[in-house]
């Protein structure tokens, strides 16, 4: 902040004078700042609206695809099998019998006090892969630790196994494959991987197989000429049929029925959500285009325009979206599937009417809804496309205007700073000149007083 120069010689409040002159000089910049604030508020509203249109484009385009309304549900007749569906599911009915569950291969060693060889070297062979393991000692804890730390794909647990004839504590190692299925079956050899390859490493003596690794099995089309056994390394069978995954939980002597059917409730929900999101956009444009009035200072009504009042881009977007929904499809009104227009310029959705129409003719209802969704997607894309969408282009233009004003405001900052500096210099010089003039006046006054005094004394 510069040094104040108020009233050094003139007694004038020069700071207030300069500030008043600066306020007058800054009027164009102030007007530009007000314009930027107003335009930024509008820009934010347009961007929010554009985001809604873009989301609607994605939603409607997905429904308009050939399989966009492929909504299905699956039912199982038994807890022995549960099923899930993916996007490409198709209607189907299957009868399956669970004849075998997947299990992990597991063995247990003979009762031991320590590993039978020292230093211990053992090799696991699993699915054709050899993994050599060298524990730090023959301690069963060290052996279990080395097994668990290795890449053999198995885990080991030390379990108490009573005492030997001398009362010494004994333990067994229970070793289990980390994955289920026949591919998880493993063998244990006493010796290095090289010894196993050479055929000189003996199998670990005294081991007992607790569970043999096995695949899960289901029987399809049982007792027919087409009977088929399907296996899986886990209890889950992926893509057993298009879009159908199953998990088996228990054996079933009686075939389990799986039925994949159309899910009318999901289709109804999809239609409801589409109408709801259309209404959100229409309501947003309507609300921000409304003109409000309130009593003014003089008692007369003061009219305030909305952000989108007289905005042709948003008005055109609203009309295009409304037309996309309300227009007939093959001569049929959308009201036939529960989509009704209102006097407010939006829509209501009658879920009961839609469900009734769907139950009567699902193909016709899906075709009608997909046509509407396709038109909505086209209308929303024409508005929100980032390259040539009407609203996107309007946003870019608005941003350009704001950027230009901000550039001008920055230039005005420099201009006004120079103006203030010039005014400060002028008034500082004025004070200097007035000071000099006052000094001269004081000198002349003193000289005149001296002359008058001299004249009086001679008399």
């Amino acid at each position: 902040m510069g040094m104040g120069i108020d009233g050094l010689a003139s007694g004038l409040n020069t700071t207030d004078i300069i500030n008043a002159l600066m306020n007058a000089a800054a009027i164009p910049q102030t007007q530009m700042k007000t314009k930027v604030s107003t335009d930024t508020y509008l820009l934010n509203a347009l961007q929010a609206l554009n985001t809604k249109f873009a989301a609607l484009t994605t939603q409607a385009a997905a429904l308009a695809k050939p399989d966009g309304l492929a909504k299905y549900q699956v039912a199982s007749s038994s807890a022995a099998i549960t099923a899930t569906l993916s996007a490409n599911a198709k209607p189907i009915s299957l009868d399956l019998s669970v004849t075998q569950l997947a299990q992990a291969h597991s063995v247990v060693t003979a009762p031991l006090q320590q590993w039978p060889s020292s230093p211990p070297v053992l090799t696991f062979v699993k699915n054709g892969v050899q993994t050599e393991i060298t524990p730090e000692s023959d301690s069963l804890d060290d052996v279990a630790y080395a097994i668990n730390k290795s890449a053999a794909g198995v885990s080991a647990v030390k379990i108490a196994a009573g005492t030997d004839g001398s009362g010494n504590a004994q333990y067994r190692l229970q070793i289990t494959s980390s994955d289920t299925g026949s591919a998880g079956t493993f063998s244990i050899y006493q010796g290095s991987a090289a010894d196993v390859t050479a055929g000189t490493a003996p199998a670990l003596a005294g081991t007992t197989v607790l569970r043999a690794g096995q695949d899960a099995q289901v029987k399809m089309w049982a007792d027919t000429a087409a009977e088929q056994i399907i296996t899986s390394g886990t209890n889950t069978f992926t893509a057993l049929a298009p879009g159908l995954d199953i998990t088996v939980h228990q054996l079933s002597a009686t075939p389990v029925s799986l039925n994949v059917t159309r899910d009318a409730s999901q289709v109804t929900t999809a239609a409801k959500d589409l109408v709801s999101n259309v209404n959100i956009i229409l309501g947003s444009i309507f609300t921000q285009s409304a003109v409000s009035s309130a009593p003014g200072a003089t008692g007369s009504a003061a009219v305030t325009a909305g952000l989108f009042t007289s905005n042709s881009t948003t008005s055109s977007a609203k009309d295009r979206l409304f037309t996309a929904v309300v227009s007939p499809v093959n001569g049929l009104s959308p009201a036939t599937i529960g989509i009704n227009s209102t006097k407010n310029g939006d829509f209501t959705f009658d879920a009961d009417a839609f469900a009734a129409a769907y139950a009567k003719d699902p193909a016709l209802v899906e075709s009608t809804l997909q046509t509407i969704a396709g038109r909505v997607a086209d209308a929303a894309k024409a508005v929100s496309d980032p390259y040539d969408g009407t609203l996107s282009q309007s946003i870019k233009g608005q941003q350009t205007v704001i950027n230009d004003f901000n550039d001008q405001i920055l230039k005005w900052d420099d201009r006004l700073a120079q103006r203030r500096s010039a005014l400060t210099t002028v008034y500082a010089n004025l004070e200097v000149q007035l000071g000099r003039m006052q000094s001269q006046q004081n000198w002349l006054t003193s000289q005149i007083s001296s002359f008058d005094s001299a004249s009086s004394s001679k008399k």
Side-chain angles (χ1 to χ4, degrees):
M1 181 179 292
M3 182 184 297
I5 57 173
D6 291 345
L8 292 178
S10 64
L12 297 174
N13 191 340
T14 52
T15 297
D16 288 347
I17 294 173
I18 292 174
N19 286 338
L21 292 172
M22 288 304 302
N23 289 336
I27 288 176
Q29 188 195 48
T30 301
Q31 292 174 335
M32 284 188 285
K33 288 181 177 179
T34 301
K35 177 66 174 173
V36 166
S37 178
T38 302
D39 286 359
T40 299
Y41 192 39
L42 173 60
L43 176 64
N44 291 337
L46 292 175
Q47 288 173 331
L49 181 63
N50 202 44
T51 298
K52 293 185 177 71
F53 267 109
L56 182 62
T57 301
T58 301
Q59 178 193 20
L63 292 180
K65 292 179 179 178
D67 61 347
L69 290 174
K71 311 293 185 182
Y72 297 100
Q73 59 186 351
V74 60
S76 173
S77 64
S78 169
I81 300 178
T82 56
T84 57
L85 299 177
S86 59
N88 61 335
K90 304 294 180 186
I92 194 173
S93 180
L94 291 175
D95 289 332
L96 302 171
S97 297
V98 183
T99 58
Q100 189 169 285
L101 295 177
Q103 61 186 25
H105 191 74
S106 182
V107 303
V108 65
T109 67
L112 301 169
Q113 294 178 27
Q114 66 274 329
W115 198 251
S117 61
S118 183
V121 178
L122 60 156
T123 299
F124 283 84
V125 179
K126 179 181 178 184
N127 202 23
V129 177
Q130 298 177 352
T131 305
E132 182 178 315
I133 298 175
T134 55
E136 291 186 359
S137 74
D138 59 4
S139 162
L140 294 182
D141 289 322
D142 284 345
V143 173
Y145 176 79
I147 291 173
N148 292 330
K149 188 179 178 182
S150 74
V154 296
S155 61
V157 178
K158 188 177 81 168
I159 300 173
T163 59
D164 62 11
S166 302
N168 297 314
Q170 297 189 111
Y171 301 90
R172 296 177 186 263
L173 289 186
Q174 180 173 329
I175 304 171
T176 305
S177 177
S178 57
D179 45 12
T180 59
S182 58
T185 301
F186 58 87
S187 301
I188 310 173
Y189 294 89
Q190 283 279 74
S192 67
D195 293 337
V196 173
T197 301
T200 58
L204 180 63
T207 59
T208 301
V209 175
L210 301 177
R211 293 190 309 271
Q214 69 178 25
D215 295 334
Q217 289 185 355
V218 295
K219 185 186 295 183
M220 187 184 300
W221 307 310
D223 302 324
T224 71
E227 182 177 290
Q228 180 176 342
I229 301 295
I230 303 172
T231 63
S232 171
T234 69
N235 286 323
T236 296
F237 294 74
T238 303
L240 190 68
L244 175 64
D245 299 338
I246 69 167
T247 299
V248 296
H249 303 281
Q250 62 192 48
L251 301 182
S252 62
T254 302
V256 178
S257 295
L258 297 177
N259 293 292
V260 180
T261 58
R262 290 180 182 272
D263 189 349
S265 64
Q266 287 193 55
V267 178
T268 302
T269 298
K272 179 182 178 181
D273 290 344
L274 179 66
V275 173
S276 175
N277 288 331
V278 167
N279 279 339
I280 288 173
I281 292 176
L282 295 176
S284 177
I285 297 175
F286 176 81
T287 300
Q288 296 183 86
S289 299
V291 176
S292 60
S293 61
T298 61
S300 59
V303 178
T304 303
L307 272 179
F308 296 159
T309 303
S310 301
N311 188 306
S312 60
T313 302
T314 55
S315 177
S316 175
K318 177 175 70 69
D319 293 342
R320 179 177 293 189
L321 182 57
F322 182 84
T323 301
V325 178
V326 78
S327 299
V329 178
N330 296 325
L332 296 176
S333 168
T336 59
I337 62 170
I339 301 176
N340 304 285
S341 60
T342 74
K343 64 181 181 180
N344 295 324
D346 59 2
F347 299 92
T348 60
F349 179 73
D350 188 334
D352 292 336
F354 184 91
Y358 191 79
K360 182 178 180 181
D361 192 343
L364 178 61
V365 172
E366 287 186 3
S367 173
T368 302
L369 180 59
Q370 286 186 307
T371 299
I372 294 173
R375 295 189 311 212
V376 168
D378 291 340
K381 183 178 181 181
V383 172
S384 64
D385 185 86
Y387 299 103
D388 54 14
T390 55
L391 192 53
S392 296
Q393 292 297 318
S394 178
I395 289 171
K396 291 176 183 177
Q398 190 78 5
Q399 187 66 68
T400 299
V401 171
I402 291 173
N403 291 342
D404 182 62
F405 273 125
N406 281 329
D407 289 341
Q408 293 186 54
I409 288 170
L410 289 176
K411 293 177 181 178
W412 266 91
D413 284 339
D414 293 337
R415 188 182 307 172
L416 292 172
Q418 294 173 5
R419 176 63 174 159
R420 178 177 288 278
S421 178
L423 287 173
T424 301
T425 300
V426 167
Y427 278 92
N429 290 335
L430 174 63
E431 291 296 326
V432 171
Q433 295 300 323
L434 287 175
R436 289 175 179 174
M437 292 175 66
Q438 286 179 351
S439 295
Q440 291 175 357
Q441 181 183 23
N442 292 337
W443 181 81
L444 288 173
T445 300
S446 64
Q447 292 299 313
I448 293 172
S449 297
S450 297
F451 178 77
D452 291 341
S453 297
S455 298
S456 298
S457 62
K458 289 179 179 182
K459 294 178 178 180

